[in-house]
Amino acid sequence: MVELREDLRYTEAHEWLKIQNNIAIIGITDHAQAELTDIVFVELPEIGKELKKGEELCVIESVKSVSEIYSPISGKVVDVNKKLDDSPEVVNESPYDDGWLVKLEIKDKSEIDSLLDVKLYKQILK
Amino acid sequence: MVLRSPLFNIQKNLGAKFTKFAGFEMPIQYSSIKDEHLTVRRSVGLFDVSHMSNVWITGKDAEKLISITTVEDASRIGDGLSQYTAILREDGTVIDDTIFMHLVEKYMIIPNAGMATPVTKWLNNKANEHNLDAKAEDVSRDFVILAIQGPKSRDTLQKLTDIDLNTVKFFGCQYIDIGGVHCIISHTGYTGELGFELQVTPPKEAEDLFYKILDAGKEFLIKPIGLGARDTLRLEKCFILAGNEFEGGRTPLEALLSWTINWDHDFIGKDVLLKQKEQGDYERLTCLECTDKGVPRHGCEIRNDEEKVGVVSSGTLSPCLNKGIAMGYVNPEFREVGNILEIVVRNKSVKAKVVKAPFVKKDWAQQY
């Protein structure tokens, strides 16, 4: 059974965002990690990098595949999950907590409004 | 048209995720590639490899046809033995690599997925050109091919047959009854572990057998294994994947298959190979182990001080070593063991060391 969290926002590309004031913590959903399985490498952006919505945020590699994760919103990278350098499998084990990817400083709050809530994301998974 | 294995529904019920490979929809994984990979290294796994082909070669000149069209002298391979070899074009490049099995009066070859038609046509053309009484017949759709691989593979299969499987020697092949099903067994595989392959006909017979093998292996925690782990298992042992390592036309000398060539007989492409061997100055498949983090993939450039010296034909993260590993064709002057090269992975340079094949040594599991 795929785990979902009520307090998160989602995208059709199976990312989640946790909004805390002007910071968005971004990760991939439980569904996404289960589809990828065996995450072996996460390439994270440089801190300070300015990203437009839709630009490449990071790259996640499983044994078999390479997946680009695109930034769901515009913003500046203020932190990355350095733990993933040595333990990329944490994304599989804890996609919503220890396996977060990037923290972005939100540039345009209106972009948050167009993200999916848990109900809509649930529809996509059906 | 996409072909499916006769075992497709069984695999679906077992939770397989599927992928398209060479015109077939086959299981890529069940639980996870890593988990399946380690299951085979440590215990035993069951693969359906029915995407591979089956071609009978019959007629009184069957042996001659094989000798002319492959780098092996088939007269050396007696009844009940099989051999890994390569079929070459006149220009010395590999059409396909295959195993042939000598079974009483005839031979079965196992071309790669999607290669049955071109290989059968090629062999029949050569039989005509050389006036041989030999015929190749594609019977791929009549067979299911199962591979049982891993240190516990023999113990698993032994429960299903009265024949002592210790008597089926490495690269031996014979008819056998396994789990009440009459099939061909060979002590062969693509994982570098103890293992067996079964050619089962008619395909319907394989349905029960698949479950029987899973049942027999229960005490060893057997798992069904997908093509994902099949690829990582073979790459750790530096076994060639035809579609990757022969891409663009490669000779067996370039593809590190010189050990398969029997120079004491005449075969198509031999003159070209002799010339290449004499010149010595050709790209060769090279094994690279990453010392930086990063996963090399097919097509990545290999560099020495910013200069391109080769290209990756196969790459992955090794589940046993937890490092990036790659095989690639490298300019001969840069492929000395211990040499440090760079592999370009998404515009980033990843350092990699030239190592001896295989990446994962024999009996790896015993150390862990």
Side-chain angles (χ1 to χ4, degrees):
Chain A
M1 189 61 207
V2 171
E3 190 195 341
L4 292 168
R5 296 268 174 98
E6 296 286 334
D7 60 334
L8 302 178
R9 306 298 293 268
Y10 297 88
T11 72
E12 289 175 8
H14 308 287
E15 295 143 307
W16 57 262
L17 295 89
K18 189 172 193 171
I19 312 297
Q20 292 177 331
N21 301 319
N22 66 331
I23 301 293
I25 307 171
I26 301 172
I28 62 167
T29 66
D30 190 31
H31 169 80
Q33 73 74 22
E35 283 297 308
L36 290 169
T37 63
D38 298 336
I39 291 166
V40 296
F41 188 74
V42 181
E43 191 179 294
L44 295 161
E46 308 250 321
I47 291 173
K49 191 173 181 184
E50 302 260 0
L51 287 167
K52 287 199 190 93
K53 181 180 170 179
E55 283 183 339
E56 187 182 294
L57 179 69
C58 60
V59 178
I60 296 186
E61 293 199 43
S62 66
V63 177
K64 248 351 253 183
S65 65
V66 183
S67 311
E68 277 109 20
I69 308 293
Y70 298 103
S71 189
I73 56 168
S74 307
K76 186 166 108 183
V77 178
V78 292
D79 200 4
V80 296
N81 189 352
K82 291 188 193 75
K83 200 155 92 188
L84 304 180
D85 278 348
D86 287 321
S87 308
E89 68 279 4
V90 174
V91 180
N92 288 124
E93 290 158 5
S94 175
Y96 297 119
D97 297 305
D98 295 345
W100 64 276
L101 300 170
V102 175
K103 288 183 188 175
L104 282 187
E105 193 180 86
I106 300 164
K107 196 165 183 194
D108 179 358
K109 290 233 166 179
S110 71
E111 284 176 358
I112 306 296
D113 299 335
S114 57
L115 297 167
L116 308 174
D117 62 14
V118 70
K119 266 187 203 152
L120 283 169
Y121 181 61
K122 217 181 255 175
Q123 296 286 327
I124 284 176
L125 291 181
K126 270 180 188 165
Chain B
M1 189 181 70
V2 177
L3 297 165
R4 283 175 173 175
S5 160
L7 303 178
F8 179 86
N9 285 324
I10 291 176
Q11 290 154 351
K12 208 172 170 187
N13 288 337
L14 288 167
K17 285 179 190 164
F18 292 86
T19 188
K20 295 206 172 70
F21 179 72
F24 283 82
E25 194 174 8
M26 296 296 287
I28 183 151
Q29 65 181 60
Y30 294 82
S31 49
S32 93
I33 292 174
K34 214 167 168 175
D35 175 48
E36 291 165 32
H37 181 107
L38 296 174
T39 296
V40 172
R41 286 270 181 264
R42 290 178 175 143
S43 186
V44 56
L46 172 61
F47 305 71
D48 172 15
V49 290
S50 300
H51 56 293
M52 306 279 289
S53 315
N54 302 76
V55 175
W56 279 122
I57 302 178
T58 55
K60 76 172 176 34
D61 295 329
E63 176 195 296
K64 266 188 204 156
L65 178 61
I66 293 175
S67 295
I68 286 173
T69 54
T70 75
V71 297
E72 185 56 78
D73 173 5
S75 71
R76 286 178 61 245
I77 310 302
D79 184 15
L81 291 175
S82 56
Q83 177 66 38
Y84 173 74
T85 191
I87 302 169
L88 308 187
R89 298 179 186 88
E90 274 85 3
D91 69 359
T93 59
V94 179
I95 296 172
D96 202 17
D97 62 336
T98 183
I99 278 181
F100 70 85
M101 293 185 266
H102 189 175
L103 292 154
V104 199
E105 296 288 285
K106 52 186 181 178
Y107 294 85
M108 176 177 273
I109 60 170
I110 313 291
N112 280 291
M115 291 305 290
T117 306
V119 165
T120 303
K121 215 170 144 187
W122 177 266
L123 294 176
N124 282 327
N125 284 343
K126 294 301 153 190
N128 279 338
E129 281 173 31
H130 294 266
N131 287 316
L132 297 177
D133 175 11
K135 195 181 135 204
E137 188 191 359
D138 174 13
V139 290
S140 307
R141 299 281 64 78
D142 297 342
F143 282 85
V144 161
I145 311 178
L146 301 178
I148 301 89
Q149 302 279 307
K152 294 293 180 195
S153 57
R154 191 187 274 136
D155 295 342
T156 299
L157 286 183
Q158 192 62 72
K159 293 186 189 175
L160 299 171
T161 183
D162 295 333
I163 289 178
D164 178 4
L165 291 178
N166 287 300
T167 64
V168 184
K169 298 294 183 199
F170 193 45
F171 272 82
C173 60
Q174 64 181 74
Y175 290 97
I176 195 170
D177 283 319
I178 292 242
V181 176
H182 190 62
C183 55
I184 301 163
I185 189 170
S186 56
H187 183 162
T188 52
Y190 195 44
T191 62
E193 300 298 331
L194 173 67
F196 298 86
E197 290 171 303
L198 303 175
Q199 316 292 327
V200 187
T201 186
K204 191 109 192 85
E205 298 274 1
E207 294 175 19
D208 268 353
L209 187 56
F210 198 82
Y211 283 121
K212 275 184 187 162
I213 294 168
L214 288 179
D215 210 39
K218 233 176 209 160
E219 65 167 300
F220 310 118
L221 306 176
I222 193 172
K223 285 180 181 168
I225 313 289
L227 293 190
R230 182 170 160 85
D231 190 47
T232 52
L233 285 159
R234 70 94 193 169
L235 189 45
E236 282 186 344
K237 296 290 181 181
C238 303
F239 295 156
I240 274 163
L241 176 64
N244 287 12
E245 272 74 48
F246 300 144
E247 194 182 37
R250 292 288 178 179
T251 71
L253 294 176
E254 292 164 346
L256 293 190
L257 295 178
S258 49
W259 61 276
T260 65
I261 304 169
N262 188 314
W263 296 102
D264 297 331
H265 82 298
D266 285 326
F267 57 92
I268 293 165
K270 184 180 177 183
D271 49 337
V272 181
L273 297 192
L274 282 170
K275 234 179 260 166
Q276 190 177 38
K277 201 177 158 195
E278 205 182 291
Q279 286 167 350
D281 182 30
Y282 50 88
E283 285 191 332
R284 254 165 276 192
L285 205 54
T286 301
C287 302
L288 292 160
E289 191 174 290
C290 295
T291 50
D292 287 343
K293 286 211 169 73
V295 187
R297 306 280 181 186
H298 176 83
C300 287
E301 206 170 288
I302 302 169
R303 289 185 187 163
N304 179 64
D305 283 341
E306 314 272 298
E307 179 201 358
K308 183 177 174 183
V309 296
V311 63
V312 170
S313 51
S314 292
T316 191
L317 185 108
S318 157
C320 287
L321 305 176
N322 207 24
K323 285 178 190 165
I325 56 170
M327 290 200 291
Y329 285 92
V330 173
N331 188 323
E333 58 181 295
F334 297 103
R335 60 182 300 283
E336 201 177 311
V337 169
N339 205 10
I340 306 284
L341 298 171
E342 294 114 48
I343 301 175
V344 184
V345 182
R346 287 190 307 278
N347 299 322
K348 270 190 199 150
S349 194
V350 174
K351 280 203 172 61
K353 192 166 76 177
V354 178
V355 296
K356 265 192 202 152
F359 295 105
V360 172
K361 310 298 177 212
K362 207 171 185 287
D363 302 326
W364 170 86
Q366 286 171 13
Q367 301 162 37
Y368 291 87

